Every structure is written in C-alpha cells, then in structure tokens.
C-alpha cells in the first residue's frame, strides 16, 4: 500500500516541537530570503517566529552581518519588529554607494565662543594663570549691534571706546570683557558625581 503524503502541519507534535527548538539555529545560517519565507512553512513555524525573541534575533543578525549598531542590553522604543524594519532600511549603509538610505542633514548653531586669555590663544596672560575666558572682538561687536540696533561701524566704535575707557590696549581685542570661572569645591564636585550616579542608576532601573 502507498504511504499517504504527510502535510507539514501534520508533523507529529514531538518531532515538530524538537525542530522548532533549533529553528533559530537553522535561520542563523540561512539567507534573508529563507528567513523571510520561514513563517509560511507551517503553523508551528509561524507561531514560533512571531514573538519578540525572533525579531530581536533578526536584529542581532543584521547587526553582525551588516555592521549596524545594536548595543548590548538595548531595548527599542516600540518593539523589536519595528526596530528590525528600521535597521533593514540601513542594511546597505556601508556599501560603496551607501544603499538607498537618505542622507541625514544636520546643522550646528553657535551662540557664542569663548577663548582662554593665555598667549597660546591670542591673549596676554601666562600659561596656567587661571580659568579666565574672553569673548572674541567680532562677537562683542555683534552683541552691541543687537543691543543698540546700530551699524557695524557704530558698534565697533562703541566697543573700542569701552576698551579705551577701561585702559585696555586697542591692539589686543582679547584683553577686555573677561569672565573668570571659579573652580567648584571638592564637596560640590562630590555631590554632582553622586547625583550623576543616582540618575544613571534610575535610568538603568527604568530600562530594565
């Protein structure tokens, strides 16, 4: 007599369960086409491959195979499946043409720049003289223009007149408008470090 053909969904429970236990190992050595088609093989596979553990494993495979960043202990903001789709868009990030990932444009806005008053930075103080900082001349002019709503020439004249009144050298635009920062005490630094450690511990507890 002929043996009836056994459907994939009719595999004995013991054999099916044993195979599902090693399914993650099998998919680890499969290509992405086979990994995507695996849930359609049978009900047992579909049931085993729909949980968060499966999508986390797929994210880690993308990390290792495509050199993407998924740190140890990471928890996605939504779920692992959504994070997998985000990583999948970036799977060709390190290819020569950069894949299809759109370039991410960004800009940095600077409010004010400060320089130390030591000679190596254009000032007149000796090295190691302290933590004195000064604002560059052109930024002091910009501040005066914004405050008084005047022209560039008028702002430069006001800044130089202020320097002359303070007895500063006109040839040294770094010698005025100095802000000196005092070093915090050891007790203050220790308190700040304790606050930082407490915040880090609270963050880790919230993530876990």
């Amino acid at each position: 007599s002929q043996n009836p053909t056994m459907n994939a969904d009719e595999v004995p429970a013991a054999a099916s369960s044993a195979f599902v236990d090693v399914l993650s190992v099998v998919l680890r050595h499969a290509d992405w086409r086979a990994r995507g088609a695996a849930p359609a093989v049978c009900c047992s596979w579909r049931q085993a491959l729909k949980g968060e553990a499966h999508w986390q494993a797929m994210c880690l495979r993308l990390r290792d195979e495509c050199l993407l960043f998924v740190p140890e202990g990471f928890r996605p903001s939504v779920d692992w499946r959504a994070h997998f789709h985000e990583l999948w868009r970036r799977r060709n990030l390190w290819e020569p043409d950069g894949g299809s990932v759109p370039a991410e444009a960004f800009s940095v806005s600077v409010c004010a720049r400060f320089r130390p008053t030591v000679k190596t930075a254009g000032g007149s103080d000796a090295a190691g003289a302290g933590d004195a900082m000064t604002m560059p001349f052109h930024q002091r002019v910009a501040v005066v223009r914004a405050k008084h709503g005047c022209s560039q020439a008028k702002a430069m004249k006001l800044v130089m007149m202020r320097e002359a009144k303070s007895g500063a050298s006109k040839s040294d635009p770094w010698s005025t408008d100095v802000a000196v920062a005092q070093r915090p005490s050891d007790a203050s630094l220790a308190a700040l470090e304790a606050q930082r450690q407490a915040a880090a511990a609270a963050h880790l507890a919230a993530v876990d």
Side-chain angles (χ1 to χ4, degrees), residues 28-41:
R28 188 184 308 164
H29 300 282
D31 58 19
W32 284 105
R33 183 183 296 275
R35 292 166 181 166
V41 172

Side-chain angles (χ1 to χ4, degrees), residues 6-130:
M6 183 175 291
N7 191 304
D9 290 339
E10 299 173 355
V11 176
S16 177
S17 176
F19 192 75
V20 167
D21 291 341
V22 297
L23 185 54
S24 60
V25 179
V26 174
L27 294 182
R28 188 184 308 164
H29 300 282
D31 58 19
W32 284 105
R33 183 183 296 275
R35 292 166 181 166
V41 172
C42 65
C43 292
S44 298
W45 285 28
R46 183 166 59 251
Q47 185 69 22
L49 299 178
K50 71 177 185 179
E52 283 287 277
H54 167 66
W55 290 109
Q56 181 180 6
M58 292 297 98
C59 287
L60 297 182
R61 294 315 306 161
L62 271 178
R63 177 195 67 182
D64 296 340
E65 296 177 8
C66 301
L67 303 179
L68 300 178
F69 182 64
V70 181
E72 295 296 335
F74 171 76
R75 294 290 185 275
S77 57
V78 182
D79 55 33
W80 281 105
R81 181 172 183 172
H83 192 65
F84 172 83
H85 290 300
E86 179 66 23
L87 292 177
W88 182 255
R89 291 177 55 250
R90 302 173 180 274
R91 66 189 182 280
N92 297 322
L93 181 64
W94 304 115
E95 295 296 327
D97 60 353
S100 58
V101 180
E104 297 181 359
F106 69 94
S107 61
V108 177
S109 298
V110 178
C111 179
R113 294 183 177 90
F114 293 90
R115 293 187 179 182
T117 58
V118 295
K119 292 183 178 180
T120 54
S124 58
D125 294 347

Side-chain angles (χ1 to χ4, degrees), residues 162-188:
R162 187 180 303 171
E163 291 180 357
K165 289 181 179 179
S166 64
S169 172
K170 296 182 180 180
S171 62
D172 184 9
W174 306 97
S175 60
T176 61
D177 291 348
V178 175
V180 179
Q182 299 261 346
R183 182 183 182 278
S185 64
D186 292 340
S188 299

Side-chain angles (χ1 to χ4, degrees), residues 110-114 134-152 154-159 162 176-177:
V110 178
C111 179
R113 294 183 177 90
F114 293 90
T134 184
M135 182 182 291
F137 177 77
H138 70 280
Q139 289 194 338
R140 298 206 303 276
V141 173
V143 170
V144 172
R145 289 191 65 186
K147 181 179 180 180
H148 298 286
C150 57
S151 64
Q152 179 83 4
K154 179 66 174 178
M156 292 180 65
K157 183 176 180 180
L158 291 174
V159 171
R162 187 180 303 171
T176 61
D177 291 348

